[in-house]
Amino acid sequence: MPVGEMLRDWRVRRRLTQLQLANRAGVSTRHLSFLETGRATPSREMLLHLAERLDVPLRERNVLLVASGYAPAFPESALDAPPMAAVTAAMRQVLAGHEPYPALVVDRLWNIVDSNAACEMFLAGAKPHLLEPPVNALRLTLHPEGMAPRIANLGEWRAHLLRGLARQVAATGDGDLARLYDELRAYPCDRPEPDVETPGPGQFAVPLRIGHDGRELAFVSTLATFGTPLDVTVSELLIESFFPADAATAQVLRGR
């Protein structure tokens, strides 16, 4: 796809008119129109400027640059590379500090990069093929041979995860994520899935209710990212931390 069409695609994805994007970027609508139709060639600086205003992921900013004949601007480093030592140290500090509660790190496709020991409770009973690296957190959760049979509110939690993944697909345009969404959506579920998330009495977030050792444990989760990333790998890392949603769950986890 020509770079102009790619820019237009990102603008439409962000639901912006040419005038709105031109105002954000401080350029004329005429110039922006010329860039989108290919009548003008964007400079490297203009591409990065527009990508910033469109909140294009770093991976896709590199795609825009290459499509226009420029070298990628953002490196994509392996986590075991020496420059990433500070990143891995920070992740492990967060994971260890969250004990005795579960926490894990995933990449852009929700493959587990690292986790703490408390996450073992989520793996209990899962079939071996779901635990072969790379372990996908969403597949493990919703697969009928994974965590799904142990999730008491499977319909509610499944709807919550799929809605979040659909928003991620819409925001990034990632084809791999779209295929993962289609796969997960095809998994069987015999529980009703709510069309809209509305809170129940005293509920402030959608809980994960999962059976473990004869008890039902309840969790709420938070998601954290690295601030101001300049590396593609770092920009796509996500730390999910689970907290007890009630006193009984907290007591069980502290007892472990």
Side-chain angles (χ1 to χ4, degrees):
M1 183 184 296
V3 70
E5 292 183 24
M6 296 169 69
L7 285 172
R8 181 184 180 279
D9 182 67
W10 280 107
R11 177 177 61 75
V12 172
R13 188 179 297 276
R14 297 295 183 253
R15 298 183 179 182
L16 295 173
T17 65
Q18 283 189 344
L19 178 59
Q20 289 171 325
L21 177 57
N23 287 336
R24 284 190 182 187
V27 300
S28 69
T29 54
R30 177 184 174 86
H31 183 54
L32 182 58
S33 175
F34 278 18
L35 292 178
E36 289 187 355
T37 58
R39 295 178 65 184
T41 302
S43 66
R44 182 176 185 274
E45 291 72 21
M46 178 57 70
L47 271 180
L48 291 173
H49 180 64
L50 291 173
E52 177 73 24
R53 296 302 178 272
L54 288 167
D55 195 25
V56 177
L58 298 191
R59 178 180 298 277
E60 300 305 320
R61 296 186 196 190
N62 280 343
V63 173
L64 285 172
L65 290 168
V66 171
S68 200
Y70 303 112
F74 303 97
E76 183 177 359
S77 307
L79 279 174
D80 57 358
M84 301 288 277
V87 173
T88 54
M91 290 191 310
R92 286 168 184 161
Q93 184 174 350
V94 171
L95 295 177
H98 197 63
E99 293 278 9
Y101 308 143
L104 64 156
V105 182
V106 297
D107 62 17
R108 87 179 210 278
L109 296 178
W110 289 86
N111 293 321
I112 298 177
V113 173
D114 205 349
S115 62
N116 63 12
C119 282
E120 291 178 2
M121 70 176 65
F122 292 156
L123 309 181
K127 295 297 184 181
H129 70 91
L130 293 172
L131 303 179
E132 296 175 0
V135 178
N136 186 275
L138 296 183
R139 184 179 292 115
L140 175 67
T141 302
L142 298 181
H143 197 285
E145 295 181 332
M147 288 171 54
R150 298 166 53 212
I151 299 177
N153 61 331
L154 178 60
E156 181 183 38
W157 189 248
R158 170 187 163 95
H160 165 69
L161 292 184
L162 289 177
R163 271 193 285 269
L165 184 57
R167 288 193 294 268
Q168 194 176 355
V169 170
T172 63
D174 193 313
D176 292 329
L177 275 179
R179 284 184 284 276
L180 177 62
Y181 174 86
D182 290 339
E183 175 193 336
L184 300 179
R185 190 66 194 160
Y187 290 165
C189 180
D190 58 359
R191 315 283 180 83
E193 299 180 43
D195 292 330
V196 179
E197 292 174 350
T198 55
Q203 194 177 67
F204 60 89
V206 177
L208 168 63
R209 302 188 182 279
I210 185 167
H212 183 69
D213 288 344
R215 302 182 179 91
E216 183 180 298
L217 305 181
F219 297 92
V220 292
S221 67
T222 63
L223 299 174
T225 58
F226 283 88
T228 62
L230 294 175
D231 182 281
V232 172
T233 301
V234 177
S235 73
E236 295 173 345
L237 292 175
L238 194 65
I239 303 174
E240 184 165 21
S241 304
F242 291 85
F243 294 84
D246 54 42
T249 299
Q251 183 177 1
V252 169
L253 294 176
R254 286 195 294 267
R256 286 168 56 88

